[in-house]
Amino acid sequence: MGVPPSPAGDWLLEVNNLSCGYGADSVVKGVNFALSHGDIGCLLGPSGCGKSTILRALAGFLPLNSGEIRLESQTISLPGRTLAPEKRRIGMVFQDYALFPHLTIADNVGFGLKGLSKAERRQKVMELLEVVHLQDLANSYPHELSGGQQQRVALARALAPEPTLILLDEPFSNLDADLRRRLSLDVREILKTLGISAILVTHDQQEAFAMCDQVAVLKGGELLQWDVPYNLYHEPANRFVASFVGQGGFIPGKALGPDTIESELGVIHGNRAYKWEPGTLVDVLIRPDDIVYDENSDLRPKVVEKTFAGTSTLYRFRCSEETEFEALFRSHLDFHLGEQVPVRVEADHLIAFERTG
């Protein structure tokens, strides 16, 4: 579910009915989305879904088989006509940083700056290094910096020519989890402060949700939903998005009405009305945060698995062979394997799909 082509001038970036790939074969088919000025978008999905292919097309490295790419109302890609990458005012931050090892940090950042005097170039470089908090390392070399610092240098270098759009190709994948989390928030703050739009490619949902305003979920070269992170989690467009985004699993149920489902967890009432006939067999998505501990509840499923995570514990419960689900409780509630725990469902957002097969 993308967006339809929009009137010229409404968006910074428009991708309309994009199909592209390698040779005559289209890896990506019929993709539509649009990005507003100052927003950060994300291409999210499993390996091989087409994320990097779309990014290469945006950068001008890959021709289109059909469709159109527009940047600031200017067409930059059509089948048979591709504006050269260096003329697009698009910056690129690569997964492996791609820094020049023989140049200082200052010279790496200033590498793409043309037409400036030596003093102007130096001033611009130092301003950018201050933005990424590396002004004290201007005369150092890449091998003297940590991975996170090198990524900041790569970002500063991409920002130096004052691009209209920055493309980030899995820029944090070589870093440990804690540094990834902190650096992604830092990069978001830098881009927002400068008012620069960006497209991030990642397979990490937490990274996508923390950093981006709009997220595209892709599968098999198709864009299934382009939406804000909140809606992807609470209002998924289809079963794949529901399964791929966040944690959770499906349990069987039967529709009693448009917003009411009967299941082994009891009768579940939701916030949306479906068009099912009463009696329709459905699968209901139960997320860990849909389950609450309630000592007065008659529903007492058995603990079959537990994962302690410090402040919380993730439990897997079983009611029957058909009905298993997960719940996330604060770690002070310490239950044992085999124990029957009183719980109830509190699913404010009802997510369900008609059962097939």
Side-chain angles (χ1 to χ4, degrees):
M1 185 172 70
V3 297
S6 60
D10 287 354
W11 306 101
L12 172 76
L13 174 69
E14 298 169 77
V15 174
N16 298 325
N17 298 315
L18 176 85
S19 295
C20 62
Y22 304 93
D25 296 329
S26 288
V27 175
V28 173
K29 304 163 189 173
V31 167
N32 288 286
F33 66 89
L35 188 71
S36 298
H37 292 264
D39 274 2
I40 302 173
C42 176
L43 305 177
L44 174 69
S47 297
C49 69
K51 306 184 297 291
S52 295
T53 301
I54 294 173
L55 204 73
R56 287 175 60 82
L58 294 176
F61 301 147
L62 201 62
L64 306 191
N65 294 338
S66 63
E68 177 189 35
I69 300 173
R70 295 171 62 85
L71 185 66
E72 290 192 311
S73 303
Q74 177 191 3
T75 298
I76 59 173
S77 284
L78 283 171
R81 181 162 67 88
T82 302
L83 186 67
E86 66 272 14
K87 296 181 179 179
R88 294 187 171 217
R89 292 196 63 198
I90 291 178
M92 189 92 177
V93 178
F94 297 96
Q95 180 178 344
D96 60 358
Y97 320 140
L99 301 179
F100 300 111
H102 63 289
L103 297 181
T104 65
I105 299 310
D107 288 339
N108 264 282
V109 173
F111 183 81
L113 292 176
K114 309 295 182 184
L116 298 179
S117 69
K118 188 175 181 180
E120 290 171 332
R121 185 171 175 272
R122 179 71 179 179
Q123 181 181 352
K124 178 76 171 178
V125 167
M126 293 309 296
E127 287 174 355
L128 285 167
L129 286 177
E130 188 170 353
V131 167
V132 297
H133 310 297
L134 292 175
Q135 62 269 30
D136 295 335
L137 298 174
N139 297 319
S140 300
Y141 287 86
H143 72 272
E144 299 175 300
L145 274 58
S146 68
Q149 289 171 327
Q150 289 184 43
Q151 192 56 276
R152 289 173 183 269
V153 176
L155 177 62
R157 184 178 61 184
L159 292 170
E162 299 183 359
T164 301
L165 178 70
I166 290 279
L167 304 179
L168 303 153
D169 188 8
E170 302 215 38
F172 314 118
S173 60
N174 293 332
L175 307 175
D176 64 69
D178 185 55
L179 183 55
R180 287 179 70 151
R181 188 162 49 249
R182 287 188 283 115
L183 191 55
S184 64
L185 293 175
D186 287 346
V187 170
R188 174 181 169 84
E189 183 179 358
I190 290 167
L191 293 174
K192 288 295 184 181
T193 299
L194 298 176
I196 294 179
S197 298
I199 295 286
L200 168 73
V201 162
T202 185
H203 61 273
D204 187 313
Q205 295 179 35
Q206 289 186 336
E207 190 173 281
F209 284 8
M211 188 172 168
C212 300
D213 303 296
Q214 300 276 334
V215 177
V217 176
L218 293 125
K219 178 192 177 189
E222 296 182 0
L223 194 158
L224 302 184
Q225 189 170 352
W226 169 259
D227 219 326
V228 297
Y230 183 92
N231 286 346
L232 288 177
Y233 188 85
H234 289 297
E235 305 289 344
N238 54 52
R239 185 185 290 261
F240 177 82
V241 176
S243 300
F244 184 75
V245 173
Q247 287 179 279
F250 289 97
I251 67 167
K254 182 172 69 174
L256 300 180
D259 60 355
T260 307
I261 294 172
E262 182 181 46
S263 75
E264 280 196 73
L265 305 189
V267 175
I268 303 172
H269 300 279
N271 64 322
R272 68 160 83 182
Y274 292 92
K275 297 179 180 179
W276 302 312
E277 294 292 329
T280 300
L281 298 180
V282 299
D283 292 321
V284 188
L285 181 66
I286 299 296
R287 298 205 187 273
D289 52 332
D290 291 332
I291 304 296
V292 297
Y293 174 72
D294 182 355
E295 58 186 13
N296 297 316
S297 175
D298 293 329
L299 177 63
R300 294 174 180 260
K302 181 190 296 184
V303 177
V304 293
E305 192 177 296
K306 62 183 292 189
T307 305
F308 180 72
T311 58
S312 61
T313 302
L314 181 67
Y315 291 92
R316 174 168 286 277
F317 290 105
R318 178 180 295 154
C319 291
S320 68
E321 289 298 321
E322 280 194 319
T323 303
E324 288 191 6
F325 58 93
E326 293 179 326
L328 191 67
F329 296 151
R330 59 191 181 93
S331 63
H332 299 288
L333 292 172
D334 188 25
F335 306 114
H336 306 291
L337 294 178
E339 186 174 350
Q340 291 183 299
V341 179
V343 299
R344 62 182 169 83
V345 180
E346 199 172 89
D348 294 336
H349 292 81
L350 181 62
I351 302 169
F353 300 94
E354 187 170 352
R355 195 177 309 168
T356 57

